[in-house]
DNA sequence: TTTT
DNA sequence: TTTT
């Protein structure tokens, strides 16, 4: 079996870093990836694809990625499910990333930022300022994947790899 | 932007061929893709990933793929949404395939079956017999993506590419 | 069968646009892709991977890519061979791209430049002279991209896709 | 940077297992991957793509793969070079695989044979093995996989990953 | 022959 | 030098 995904897109929001009860870092963000064609209403649309990173990569992503930034993500598709408060089973599809490249950095001019893998995470970074604008430069699209009341259940059982 | 997925897995059921009002073929199936590691309960798990094909490729898949068969799929992740009968917005993530390889065929011994792309679709649907076996050879897992009451809304607006 | 490559790297030189006798555009460039680890001498190394694009994509690449620019390339590996002037068979491996993303542009600040696919090529077009070399097609072929004295002939038989 | 290749094809010969002086296993084989179109002489052609695997994966490939078998390979493109006996620099392009799937097995009927990885179970960690080491890393290297009179030396410096 |  |  084989399950491989490669995406290039922009973050719809700042990444969210959390920790499992056992202290393992998890970061979630959503990538807006423009579709390669226009809709028949002539608009360019995007797919909003949830991405999850774990451990060191999670820390690095939380430190270096921000809303609007361009990133390349390598990983696999994972489908998990939970029962919501109406007793319905809900399916959640995410890309579990094992490699993230930062394709832009605000302060280093126009250069690639380095790797999400080997990168020493350095300090808190977050470099302030950042954060303008709608994700993709202009269109006011909405990130559908956030605090919509879904129970958040990160457990240490969810560790991939 | 870039959005590329490659999967190898087994069909959880026979593919479902439908037509849009304008007569465009669409085929949906789910691929069970084993995870590359075991859960911490020591079980091997799988992701059940919905795949959609259109037009000629849809016809070919409907003709040649069957429950339990191994296939390779190339495509892109698409996230669409609709409002369910409780007025909640539901997000559906699918792989829109533009290339499918049939990695097994029941009657040609142990050989690859050919391409889903250029393949002359040949005749009649091959419906016969089909349907033995649980998808992954043994485990009785459940395909979560079927007739669970979700409205099916294939429209001609959904044509990719 | 399946053959898919995705690269992100920097151009080692300006791209070279040429035309087949029938006027089909071909652009060649080399991508320097850093390896994901350091050598045991502690140096970071790169692979230098030749990329070939055809037709509209070739024009767009010639117009928008330059030495040092970051690009994402999607395509397939192609291996062709020719007999050199010593009568030895030489094997040439290239990535035939069907999609190129420009991940930096010098004049548009810090934004992605757009697609290599749908891009209107705009200005320069650079039609110039060039023109020989059979590329990719039959057997016993010449490498059109080397001006080191080997015979060159690009023919229109060499069009992929 | 990013460098990802996925291939499905057939082995042109039995794989060749060797060991470095330090006893690290290396296996080389060539995958014949049919092109997705016919030549203008109407023939279907193939690319013959050299694949290299290391360590445990090398042993597994040597044990389970044979000439003619269908396999899926995931890895990265590596370009190394050496100076041949005429003093010319020769460039060798190979896919360094980190995942191989056996898509056919002769004795288990028509089923997929399993993974080339041998996933460690347990919850966390896994990811096995050290890192670093560039295979074909330094400069001026020999191609260890050709017995045509060129000097052979696989060194332990060549370990990838 | 290589990019940052 | 190539597989089916």
């Amino acid at each position: 079996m084989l399950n491989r995904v490669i995406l290039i897109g922009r973050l719809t929001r700042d990444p969210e870093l959390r920790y499992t009860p056992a202290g393992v870092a998890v970061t979630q963000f959503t990538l807006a990836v423009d579709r390669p064609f226009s809709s028949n209403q002539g608009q360019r649309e995007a797919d909003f694809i949830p991405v999850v990173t774990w451990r060191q990569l999670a820390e690095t992503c939380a430190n270096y990625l921000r809303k609007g930034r361009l990133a390349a993500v390598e990983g696999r598709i994972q489908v998990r499910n939970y029962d919501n408060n109406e007793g319905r089973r809900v399916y959640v599809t995410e890309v579990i990333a094992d490699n993230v490249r930062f394709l832009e950095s605000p302060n280093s001019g126009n250069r690639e930022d380095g790797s999400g893998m080997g990168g020493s995470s350095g300090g808190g970074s977050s470099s302030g300022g950042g954060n303008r604008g709608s994700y993709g430069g202009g269109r006011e699209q909405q990130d559908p994947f956030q605090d919509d009341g879904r129970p958040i259940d990160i457990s240490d059982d969810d560790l991939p790899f």
Side-chain angles (χ1 to χ4, degrees), chain A:
Chain A
M1 313 302 199
L2 189 150
N3 181 340
R4 202 75 203 160
V5 177
I6 297 178
L7 305 173
I8 298 180
R10 291 187 187 280
L11 276 84
T12 61
R13 323 186 54 187
D14 287 356
E16 280 181 62
L17 173 61
R18 303 183 185 191
Y19 290 88
T20 65
V24 181
V26 206
T27 292
Q28 203 272 354
F29 55 88
T30 296
L31 227 48
V33 183
D34 290 331
R35 293 189 181 161
F37 52 85
S38 304
S39 77
N40 40 355
Q41 286 80 42
Q43 306 153 256
R44 289 213 105 218
E45 294 172 355
D47 291 292
F48 296 94
I49 303 173
V51 177
V52 177
T53 61
W54 286 89
R55 296 182 242 250
Q56 173 59 45
L57 182 55
E59 311 260 18
T60 313
C61 287
N63 285 333
Y64 290 113
L65 286 176
R66 287 294 172 273
K67 177 177 178 175
R69 264 344 132 59
L70 192 67
V73 163
E74 248 192 298
R76 60 185 177 80
I77 298 179
Q78 185 170 274
V79 182
R80 59 189 172 84
N81 60 72
Y82 64 94
D83 295 314
N84 71 4
N85 26 28
E86 282 107 39
R88 260 181 182 280
R89 177 141 299 184
V90 179
Y91 293 90
V92 180
T93 304
E94 295 154 321
V95 171
I96 310 300
D98 49 56
N99 191 7
V100 176
R101 298 285 145 176
F102 311 141
L103 298 175
E104 277 177 2
S105 74
N107 39 10
S108 65
N110 207 356
R111 303 271 81 137
E112 185 191 15
D113 208 13
S115 151
M117 295 256 66
S120 56
S121 49
S125 209
S126 160
S127 87
N131 265 19
R132 52 274 113 76
S134 70
Y135 88 95
R139 275 159 304 126
E140 284 301 318
Q141 274 177 283
Q142 201 68 32
D143 178 2
F145 298 104
Q146 47 241 35
D147 261 297
D148 58 345
R150 288 204 304 244
I152 296 162
D153 59 325
I154 326 172
S155 93
D156 293 279
D157 298 356
D158 293 330
L159 289 167
F161 308 118

